[in-house]
């Protein structure tokens, strides 16, 4: 089912505009991830789509039907909550079948559908248990089961994995992705975790302060961030940003800033920030014409890669090295491939095309 | 170095001795307080029981008894099955029945009313919900005794004197119950309501299918408190019932002594004590029975 958000806004009673006009078209079968820091309005948007929150302005379509004022139960959606929101006094089967029961589906049909859903989610042996007798991952699956058993036209996920431990989270992430592919149901997924967003999404919507910063596929978002915010939010470790307009007092920092300025040839327009992904930075032990001296303050060993932290012109800078040999000296020289550089306008925060 | 090693054991032993002694002394004091306290609570009940096994002449002569007498069967039999009172129409069994109806009606009524009130206050966007709640809450300052005359007037003019409705209905509005259920409902995660909304459960279904089942331990707790409270009502039943067949057992205890004392007889102290012991039993049984249920609810710790 196609979902369309047209100039959707949300203003709370105290005149705080939590969501500024959002336009989004979600295609049939697509998995859209809304990502952003807490308070960016991502959950509010999801809850407006679900019908749990009133829409202040704009139009919301699920399929061809405008659903601004339709009851959540009649929107043909299913939602998975962060804390699962399972009914504690009902068994797994009852939890999954409750929505069907309320819709007047016959008992036999409910049993059949619950069994099918349980098969898909490997829950068959737990159908008679209470949620309190299940592990976190199993509860998560029951919550998923409750969603899929109704065969809705839209799935909504509200940070469904944040209550799980890291290992289980990775596993469930893959399961959700597989399940969504298999069922082909349009989905909206909210998370604050950018890794989750990158791995799950067909398209990512990056939100900040109630404004959509960028909409794009994971690789577009990563390789072509539209704004400073997107650049610094997506990617772990985040993109290095050097603010050329930063006032520095130390003589050494001043020199470095001048050097950076020269390297990037940005004399014409100083109020910018230069960005480069940590893994794109190259280093040598010897100085060359286009290199910048760099002192490693400390190193983080991650196994597959090594993060080296330091400072350029008093601004923190990270480079990531995947080679197996350790860096021999703490004083190295960095060079920046021109094609890996980004420029952002300090005032608007938007990217400047090079 | 040598100093320190030689000093250490000395410090330890000198420290340990008074500590052990102190612990012993304090535990003796603690336990004495507990024992005295429990004797203080238990003795009257025990004496009521032992006294109830003597005949009324002995009691009248010698006062309360601590020994067990030989009149157990006679006294309890008379208290339960002998018709007494002015009209000779009421026996212990009838009074027990009346008390049971009052106790259960009182507790169930209070629970139903307070669940509904708390549900309205917590889950519906009412304009003056908080104000309404505090108005309900301030009625705690106005117990039945304060408003007893107008209450009597109203109930009597409805023709509800000497009916179970008249006995129960005026008592079931409960600020305490509403308060407890409100606190509990507010601790129920919002997502549960939202999940139910998406699952197509309306307000009534949500209450019956989800909210009430998850409140069952809460309901049990309030039922215990309210049953005992209702069982022990004295003033209101004394006012509103004049027909002896409507008497509750708490009232009956006094009535037995009075009735027999009227006719220059020695009051039937033995039977009165027997009735008192019988009157204590149902609340005790309710507490014992519900407690096991209560613990089960706590151990399962759903939610």
């Amino acid at each position: 089912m196609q979902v369309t958000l047209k100039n959707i806004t949300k203003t709370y009673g105290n005149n705080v505009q939590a969501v500024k006009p959002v336009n989004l078209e979600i295609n049939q079968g697509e998995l859209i991830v809304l990502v952003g820091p807490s308070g960016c309005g991502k959950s509010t948007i999801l809850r407006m789509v679900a019908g749990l929150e009133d829409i202040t302005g704009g139009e919301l379509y699920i399929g061809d039907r405008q659903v601004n004022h339709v009851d959540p139960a009649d929107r043909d959606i299913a939602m998975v909550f962060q804390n699962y929101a399972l009914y504690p006094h009902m068994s797994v089967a009852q939890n999954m079948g409750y929505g069907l029961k309320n819709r007047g589906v016959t008992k036999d049909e409910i049993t059949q559908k619950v069994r099918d859903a349980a098969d898909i989610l490997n829950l068959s042996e737990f159908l008679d248990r209470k949620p309190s007798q299940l592990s976190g991952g199993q509860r998560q699956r029951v919550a998923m089961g409750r969603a899929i058993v109704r065969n809705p036209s839209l799935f909504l996920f509200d940070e469904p994995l944040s209550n799980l431990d890291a290992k289980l989270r990775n596993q469930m992430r893959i399961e959700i992705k597989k399940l969504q592919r298999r069922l082909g149901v349009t989905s909206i997924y909210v998370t604050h975790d950018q890794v989750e967003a990158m791995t799950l999404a067909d398209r990512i919507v990056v939100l900040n302060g109630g404004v959509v910063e960028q909409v794009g596929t994971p690789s577009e978002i990563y390789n072509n961030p539209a704004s400073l915010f997107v650049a610094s939010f997506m990617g772990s470790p985040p993109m290095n940003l050097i603010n050329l307009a930063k006032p520095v007092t130390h003589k050494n920092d001043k020199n470095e800033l001048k050097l950076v300025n020269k390297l990037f040839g940005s004399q014409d327009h100083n109020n910018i920030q230069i960005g480069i992904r940590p893994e794109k930075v190259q280093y040598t032990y010897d100085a060359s014409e286009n290199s910048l001296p760099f002192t490693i303050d400390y190193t983080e060993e991650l196994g597959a890669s090594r993060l080296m932290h330091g400072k350029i012109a008093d601004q923190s800078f990270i480079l990531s090295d995947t080679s197996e040999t350790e860096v021999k000296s703490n004083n190295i020289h960095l060079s920046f491939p021109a094609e890996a550089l980004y420029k952002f306008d300090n005032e608007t925060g938007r990217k400047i095309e090079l | 170095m040598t100093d320190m090693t030689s000093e250490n054991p000395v410090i330890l032993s000198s420290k340990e001795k008074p500590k052990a002694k102190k612990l012993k002394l304090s535990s003796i004091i603690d336990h004495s307080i507990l024992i005295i306290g429990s004797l203080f609570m238990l003795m009257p009940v025990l004496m009521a029981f032992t006294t109830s096994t003597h005949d009324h002449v002995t009691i009248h002569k010698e006062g309360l008894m601590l020994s067990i007498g030989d009149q157990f069967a006679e006294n309890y039999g008379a208290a339960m099955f002998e018709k007494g009172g002015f009209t000779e129409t009421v026996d212990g069994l009838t009074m027990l029945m009346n008390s049971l109806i009052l106790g259960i009606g009182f507790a169930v009524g209070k629970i139903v009313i307070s669940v509904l009130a708390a549900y309205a206050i917590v889950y519906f966007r009412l304009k003056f919900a908080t104000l309404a709640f505090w108005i309900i809450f301030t009625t705690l300052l106005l117990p039945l005794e304060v408003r007893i005359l107008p209450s009597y007037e109203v109930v009597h003019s409805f023709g509800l004197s000497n009916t179970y409705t008249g006995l129960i209905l005026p008592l079931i509005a409960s600020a305490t119950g509403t308060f407890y259920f409100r606190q509990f409902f507010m601790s129920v995660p919002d997502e549960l309501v939202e999940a139910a909304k998406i699952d197509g459960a309306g307000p009534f279904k949500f209450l019956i299918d989800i909210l009430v089942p998850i409140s069952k331990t809460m309901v049990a707790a309030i039922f215990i408190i309210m049953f005992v409270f209702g069982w022990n009502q004295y003033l209101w039943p004394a006012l509103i019932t004049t027909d002896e067949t409507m008497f509750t057992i708490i009232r009956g205890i006094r009535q037995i002594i009075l009735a027999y004392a009227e006719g220059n007889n020695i009051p039937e102290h033995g039977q009165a004590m027997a009735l008192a012991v019988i009157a204590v039993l149902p609340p005790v049984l309710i507490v014992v029975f519900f407690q096991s249920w209560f613990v089960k609810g706590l151990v399962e710790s759903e939610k």
Side-chain angles (χ1 to χ4, degrees):
Chain A
M1 194 74 76
Q2 200 174 357
V3 179
T4 313
L5 285 76
K6 268 192 193 159
N7 289 316
I8 296 279
T9 58
K10 177 74 193 180
T11 311
Y12 283 109
N14 50 2
N15 268 332
V16 176
Q17 197 170 26
V19 176
K20 311 229 161 69
V22 170
N23 285 294
L24 194 59
E25 266 192 39
I26 304 168
N27 301 322
Q28 159 62 32
E30 201 175 16
L31 203 170
I32 288 276
V33 175
L34 307 181
V35 68
S38 56
C40 70
K42 56 190 191 299
S43 282
T44 313
I45 294 176
L46 189 79
R47 292 166 57 81
M48 284 195 286
V49 175
L52 299 172
E53 200 94 56
D54 288 335
I55 297 170
T56 313
E59 293 157 39
L60 171 69
Y61 294 91
I62 296 178
D64 298 325
R65 186 164 67 125
Q66 192 186 339
V67 292
N68 282 38
H69 302 290
V70 174
D71 216 48
D74 302 326
R75 290 192 184 188
D76 201 12
I77 53 164
M79 186 156 169
V80 178
F81 294 88
Q82 178 176 357
N83 63 2
Y84 322 132
L86 301 176
Y87 312 123
H89 59 292
M90 295 186 190
S91 70
V92 169
Q94 284 170 325
N95 258 294
M96 286 163 70
Y98 187 62
L100 293 171
K101 193 179 136 202
N102 287 336
R103 283 171 177 76
V105 179
T106 61
K107 255 191 183 154
D108 294 339
E109 205 176 327
I110 293 177
T111 318
Q112 190 52 47
K113 284 190 170 172
V114 167
R115 222 173 264 156
D116 292 347
D119 273 346
I120 295 175
L121 293 161
N122 291 325
L123 282 171
S124 303
E125 49 191 307
F126 305 115
L127 282 178
D128 294 325
R129 293 220 197 150
K130 293 272 176 71
S132 54
Q133 296 163 305
L134 299 176
S135 69
Q138 287 163 343
R139 282 183 214 184
Q140 177 59 53
R141 270 198 234 124
V142 177
M144 298 275 301
R146 191 167 62 178
I148 66 172
V149 80
R150 290 214 324 264
N151 202 9
S153 51
L154 176 63
F155 279 148
L156 304 172
F157 297 92
D158 190 3
E159 310 211 12
L161 303 182
S162 24
N163 281 6
L164 301 176
D165 61 63
K167 196 179 165 199
L168 205 54
R169 200 180 303 157
N170 289 343
Q171 196 185 323
M172 286 306 294
R173 201 166 62 201
I174 296 164
E175 277 187 43
I176 289 181
K177 177 98 175 175
K178 271 191 197 157
L179 192 69
Q180 197 267 344
R181 281 277 167 280
R182 176 169 164 190
L183 300 171
V185 176
T186 315
S187 306
I188 305 178
Y189 189 107
V190 161
T191 181
H192 62 265
D193 180 350
Q194 48 94 14
V195 178
E196 225 167 273
M198 293 293 283
T199 49
L200 272 174
D202 291 321
R203 276 193 300 158
I204 296 177
V205 178
V206 185
L207 288 150
N208 183 30
V211 179
V212 175
E213 291 271 342
Q214 190 177 2
V215 182
T217 63
S219 73
E220 273 169 18
I221 296 277
Y222 190 78
N223 295 322
N224 200 8
S227 69
L228 267 174
F229 176 80
V230 178
S232 59
F233 190 76
M234 302 300 285
S236 170
M239 183 185 280
N240 290 306
L241 292 164
I242 301 168
N243 189 349
L244 296 185
K246 185 182 159 90
V248 285
T249 44
H250 204 273
K251 198 181 162 215
N252 206 14
D253 292 336
K254 265 186 192 158
N255 284 341
E256 265 183 359
L257 210 54
K258 262 185 209 155
L259 203 56
V260 174
N261 241 329
K262 198 186 116 205
L263 274 178
F264 297 121
S266 52
Q267 296 90 338
D268 54 327
H269 188 187
N270 271 331
N271 200 11
I272 61 166
Q273 297 199 27
I274 301 287
I276 184 164
R277 293 275 174 205
E279 66 274 15
K280 293 284 167 64
V281 183
Q282 292 164 353
Y283 68 89
T284 51
Y285 294 111
D286 305 311
S288 69
E289 200 187 334
N290 288 328
S291 74
L292 193 68
F294 183 72
T295 309
I296 300 167
D297 291 338
Y298 62 95
T299 306
E300 269 183 290
E301 186 66 61
L302 298 180
S305 66
R306 201 172 295 115
L307 300 182
M308 288 165 274
H309 297 253
K311 279 193 168 158
I312 291 179
D314 204 27
Q315 300 173 50
S316 62
F317 194 93
I318 305 170
L319 66 146
S320 166
D321 180 22
T322 51
S323 69
E324 278 173 30
T325 48
E326 277 185 49
V327 181
K328 280 175 278 181
S329 158
N330 274 345
N331 292 303
I332 52 177
H333 295 268
L334 306 181
S335 58
F336 309 99
E339 69 276 9
L341 288 176
Y342 302 91
K343 268 188 195 175
F344 299 98
D345 190 309
N346 246 345
E347 264 157 41
T348 62
R350 306 308 288 182
K351 188 184 168 201
I352 303 164
E353 294 304 328
L354 289 168
Chain B
M1 261 333 244
T2 45
D3 260 346
M4 269 177 78
T5 44
S6 66
E7 216 172 52
N8 265 345
V10 176
I11 289 173
L12 265 177
S13 62
S14 70
K15 239 185 182 174
E16 240 165 36
K17 248 189 180 171
K19 203 182 171 188
K21 208 176 172 186
K22 201 176 148 200
L23 203 83
K24 221 178 166 188
L25 186 71
S26 73
S27 66
I28 289 173
I29 293 173
D30 288 350
H31 279 83
S32 327
I33 292 173
L34 288 175
I35 290 166
I36 292 170
S38 43
L39 280 181
F40 191 73
M41 304 293 282
L42 281 174
M43 279 315 281
V45 182
L46 190 68
M47 276 177 97
F49 176 72
T50 48
T51 309
S52 72
T53 57
H54 290 274
D55 66 76
H56 60 282
V57 182
T58 325
I59 301 166
H60 203 67
K61 272 197 295 197
E62 296 176 28
L64 293 173
M65 312 289 287
L66 260 176
S67 61
I68 293 190
D70 54 358
Q71 299 290 308
F72 178 83
E74 288 83 347
N75 279 341
Y76 280 82
M80 282 306 284
F81 305 114
E82 205 170 87
K83 303 272 186 203
F86 279 124
T87 52
E88 305 273 323
T89 51
V90 63
D91 56 19
L93 209 59
T94 317
M95 292 194 288
L96 208 58
M97 210 46 220
N98 288 338
S99 277
L100 209 64
I101 290 169
L102 172 61
I104 291 174
F106 184 86
V108 170
K110 276 201 183 233
I111 288 169
V112 169
I113 295 269
S114 22
V115 164
L116 290 177
Y119 185 50
I121 288 169
V122 176
Y123 284 99
F124 293 87
R125 231 174 283 159
L126 303 173
K127 259 210 166 141
F128 300 106
T130 327
L131 182 72
F133 171 71
W134 285 110
I135 288 175
I136 294 173
F137 200 68
T138 47
T139 60
L140 272 181
L141 301 172
L142 297 169
L144 179 77
E145 287 74 11
V146 177
R147 55 184 166 88
I148 199 142
L149 283 178
S151 290
Y152 178 80
E153 187 54 38
V154 169
V155 174
H156 187 72
S157 65
F158 281 167
L160 292 174
S161 309
N162 287 320
T163 60
Y164 291 123
T165 319
L167 205 54
I168 295 165
L169 201 62
L171 301 177
I172 60 173
S174 174
T176 341
T178 309
F179 176 72
Y180 281 134
F181 279 113
R182 171 183 178 261
Q183 298 307 101
F184 178 76
F185 289 169
M186 292 203 311
S187 76
V188 172
D190 288 342
E191 282 88 350
L192 224 50
V193 192
E194 291 168 352
K197 265 187 202 164
I198 291 174
D199 268 344
F204 192 68
K205 259 195 179 150
F206 175 69
L207 177 68
I208 298 297
D209 284 352
I210 292 156
L211 209 52
V212 170
I214 63 175
S215 322
K216 58 186 177 190
T217 50
M218 193 71 199
V219 169
I222 292 189
F223 185 85
I224 295 176
I225 297 167
M226 291 307 174
F227 177 83
V228 176
F229 190 35
W231 181 271
N232 288 333
Q233 284 293 317
Y234 180 74
L235 185 59
W236 182 251
L239 263 180
I240 208 69
T241 56
T242 47
D243 181 349
E244 284 192 331
T245 55
M246 292 297 294
F247 276 15
T248 59
I249 198 157
I250 303 296
R251 232 189 124 186
I253 300 167
R254 180 173 162 275
Q255 215 65 22
I256 278 191
I257 303 175
L258 266 189
Y260 285 91
E262 297 276 320
N264 284 338
N265 286 329
I266 298 168
E268 281 289 350
H269 289 304
Q271 283 185 36
M273 284 298 174
L275 210 56
V277 171
I278 292 169
V280 168
L281 275 179
V284 171
L285 289 177
I286 287 270
V287 170
V288 169
F289 171 71
F290 266 96
Q291 205 173 31
S292 61
W293 207 85
F294 205 55
V295 171
K296 196 179 135 221
L298 286 180
V299 172
E300 270 180 10
S301 106
E302 299 167 329
K303 206 182 82 166

